[in-house]
Structures are given as structure tokens and as C-alpha cells.
Amino acid sequence: MKQVTQSVLMIRPVAFRMNEQTTANNYFQKEISGVLPAAINAKAQQEFDGLVSQLESVGVQVVVVDDTLETDTPDSVFPNNWISFHANGDVVLYPMFAENRRAERRDDILDLLEEKGFVIENSIDFTSAEEDGLFLEGTGSLVLDRVNAIAYCALSPRADEELFIEFCEDFDYAPVIFEAFHTVDGKLELVYHTNVMMSIGEHFAVICADMIADKKERKMVLDNLRASGKEVILISEKQVNHFAANLLEVSGTDDKRYIVMSTTAFESLHQNQIAQLEKYGSILKTNLQTIESCGGGSARCMMAEIFLPKNSL
């Protein structure tokens, strides 16, 4: 089992904008006023292309799929919320909070991956939970330690506890459940996705432990991370607001490691935090300001890691 992959799926936006259906509990989204929708989408495409170019330049295989205008899918640039890929050939489809995000799920993407030599053995579909108003948004809600088979989940309107436990039972992951809060307009609100406040690499974890209000839960999360051999890199809530936890470790040419994040995230980090991260890989940073502002997600959300086996033919 590997924690890090050399292949990612990315969806190029065609009608990117601030999704009015996700603002209910994604407090990271911000309106960009005085800019035409076409200009916002063009800027998002430019940022997307910049990240793809950086990844490909170091040997990461990026499977790029264009979004389609046939569906109203302003958040399609964040595919990791509706699908995950696993080393045994499993593909998992997840139930989504926003109705217009459900149209992001596309069978033709699975066909394309198979054409590129990836092997899909099974499709596990949790999406019927949407009918009961229950949601679990992929590796936004789940932060997976794949090597140690531990799944971390900050409960929220987009991360249902029973669904999370069902996922863990199906995939033999040990569940680590907690609540994480951030301050919004002077009030404490649940963090909408686990992956905005923590991320796990092969040998490190970035986390804002201060956002876990319950001391026992905080200790449990940190104990699990350290017991599984991760160096814990602590960040502040202010750094979370700059997407400093929304990063992903990937593998490039000759298995060289890279830690992918936005320029906003990188510039929020202190020198000692950068030094901690650079022990484990070179930092790849790119400007994602439009995607971060309107979408409320950053670099990690834009990449769905492909761990599927490759066809040997």
C-alpha cells in the first residue's frame, strides 16, 4: 500500500464561479465583485493550467478532463469530493451536499482512465445516501492514511458519522472521528471539509490542532498521527484560512517527492514550517487565488489521486 501516487485526475473548468449552493457551510468562499463571470472562469482556467504544467514538468502524470457546459457544475475543478481511487482497483463514488455538484459524477471519466491503462475492478457507490440527506464528500471529508489504514474525519453537514463508519468498515480503515471548528463572523462553525485543516503525507502530517476544541479528541488525533510515524507540523487557524493544510504530497520522476500547495498557502507558512515540509519533498507552489476565493478550496481539492493498478499489457 502506498500513501503517495504519481498519477492524478484533474477537471478543467468551463463555467467556474462561486457556487451559490455550497455557501451554506463553506465559509472559505468569497465573492469577487465587479468581475464578469467569463473573466472569473478564464482566470480559473489559467490557474488550473498553471498547476497542471507544474505537475507535468516534474513527472507527475495528470489525466486532464474538460468539464462540460451541458451540466451546471461550477465546482467541477474539485473532483476529489465525488470520487476516490484505490490500489485494489476499487473506485468509490460519494454523496454530495450540493445538488448541482452531483452532476460532476461522470461515467465517461472512468472509461477514459481504463483507456489509459488503469484497471478498475469494482465501483462502490454511496450516492443513494443523498436521498436521506446524508453526505460524505470523498477525500475532502476523509483524510486517509492509506499505509496504516487510518481514516480521519471532522464531522460536518458534509461528513456524516454513520456513513464514515460504513466506509471504514468496507475498506478496513480504523476511524478517527472528531469535530473541528473555525471562527466565522465571531461565531464558531464546523469546518466543512477535513482536508482544509489537516493533510497526511508519507512521513508527515499538517494539522491545525487548535481547531479541535475537545481536548480528548485533539489528543486522540495527535496520538494517532504520531503513533503511525508522522512528524506533526502544527499550523494556526489563520494559516488554515490561507489553505496551508490543503496540500498534497505527490511523486514525480524517479519517485522524487513534491508537496503541492498554493502560493497563498506557502506565503502564510513560517520558515520553520517550510523547513519541516522540505525534509519530505520539494515544494511546488502556484497562484490559485481565484479558485480559492470563489471555490473555497485549494490545491489538494483539485487533485484526485489515482492509486489504481496499471494494465501490464
Side-chain angles (χ1 to χ4, degrees):
M1 190 69 70
K2 294 192 304 183
Q3 180 66 21
V4 180
T5 180
Q6 194 173 353
S7 305
V8 295
L9 167 70
M10 294 179 65
I11 310 295
R12 192 172 193 267
V14 295
F16 178 80
R17 66 173 193 278
M18 189 169 100
N19 186 354
E20 61 286 345
Q21 292 188 18
T22 55
T23 55
N25 48 36
N26 179 348
Y27 303 104
F28 293 86
Q29 290 174 264
K30 297 179 189 70
E31 191 97 54
I32 299 178
S33 56
V35 182
L36 291 170
I40 286 176
N41 183 65
K43 187 69 179 148
Q45 288 179 331
Q46 186 182 349
E47 292 173 0
F48 176 93
D49 293 343
L51 178 53
V52 170
S53 175
Q54 278 213 336
L55 291 166
E56 290 181 337
S57 73
V58 297
V60 177
Q61 179 188 9
V62 185
V63 179
V64 175
V65 177
D66 285 315
D67 191 15
T68 171
L69 285 169
E70 291 168 25
T71 52
D72 176 31
T73 46
D75 279 334
S76 60
V77 75
F78 303 133
N80 79 310
N81 298 147
W82 66 266
I83 195 164
S84 65
F85 305 101
H86 301 265
N88 63 352
D90 283 347
V91 169
V92 188
L93 302 174
Y94 295 93
M96 307 288 285
F97 170 80
E99 283 186 37
N100 63 5
R101 293 211 62 189
R102 298 169 194 175
E104 293 174 30
R105 300 189 291 251
R106 288 167 47 187
D107 290 338
D108 64 307
I109 291 174
L110 301 183
D111 296 339
L112 175 68
L113 290 172
E114 289 186 312
E115 284 171 25
K116 290 185 175 292
F118 292 101
V119 178
I120 296 173
E121 298 285 359
N122 295 298
S123 182
I124 295 90
D125 191 339
F126 290 104
T127 61
S128 63
E130 290 167 351
E131 296 163 22
D132 300 316
L134 303 175
F135 312 107
L136 187 68
E137 296 195 334
T139 53
S141 299
L142 308 163
V143 173
L144 301 178
D145 180 345
R146 294 174 185 256
V147 175
N148 295 293
I150 304 170
Y152 296 82
C153 183
L155 301 179
S156 79
R158 306 205 199 175
D160 177 76
E161 183 170 3
E162 286 184 24
L163 266 184
F164 172 58
I165 289 169
E166 187 180 336
F167 170 90
C168 290
E169 288 173 349
D170 287 353
F171 288 90
D172 284 332
Y173 275 82
V176 177
I177 302 168
F178 57 98
E179 288 184 329
F181 298 87
H182 58 152
T183 308
V184 182
D185 298 329
K187 290 193 304 183
L188 284 180
E189 302 281 4
L190 287 167
V191 172
Y192 83 107
H193 275 164
T194 316
N195 77 359
V196 293
M197 54 79 62
M198 74 176 293
S199 61
I200 292 178
E202 186 173 19
H203 299 298
F204 69 90
V206 175
I207 184 169
C208 180
D210 291 345
M211 293 171 91
I212 307 173
D214 184 286
K215 289 180 181 175
K216 286 182 181 172
E217 287 185 355
R218 188 188 316 149
K219 183 177 186 302
M220 173 190 65
V221 172
L222 292 172
D223 285 351
N224 270 281
L225 291 170
R226 291 184 175 121
S228 53
K230 309 297 181 193
E231 178 179 358
V232 173
I233 301 170
L234 295 171
I235 62 171
S236 67
E237 182 175 342
K238 185 176 179 183
Q239 290 172 318
V240 167
N241 292 335
H242 289 87
F243 297 100
N246 198 245
L247 52 82
L248 184 67
E249 181 183 3
V250 295
S251 166
T253 306
D254 298 327
D255 199 30
K256 187 160 191 253
R257 298 306 173 86
Y258 298 90
I259 298 165
V260 188
M261 67 179 72
S262 72
T263 305
T264 302
F266 179 79
E267 290 176 350
S268 78
L269 294 173
H270 304 310
Q271 201 54 51
N272 63 316
Q273 294 166 324
I274 292 168
Q276 282 178 291
L277 282 169
E278 285 181 332
K279 285 192 286 187
Y280 304 106
S282 303
I283 293 175
L284 279 187
K285 60 184 186 295
T286 188
N287 172 25
L288 299 172
Q289 280 186 306
T290 307
I291 290 171
E292 288 173 331
S293 295
C294 292
S298 190
R300 194 274 168 268
C301 301
M302 295 170 66
M303 296 174 282
E305 305 137 283
I306 306 171
F307 285 94
L308 298 169
K310 289 295 282 272
N311 207 315
S312 55
L313 294 177

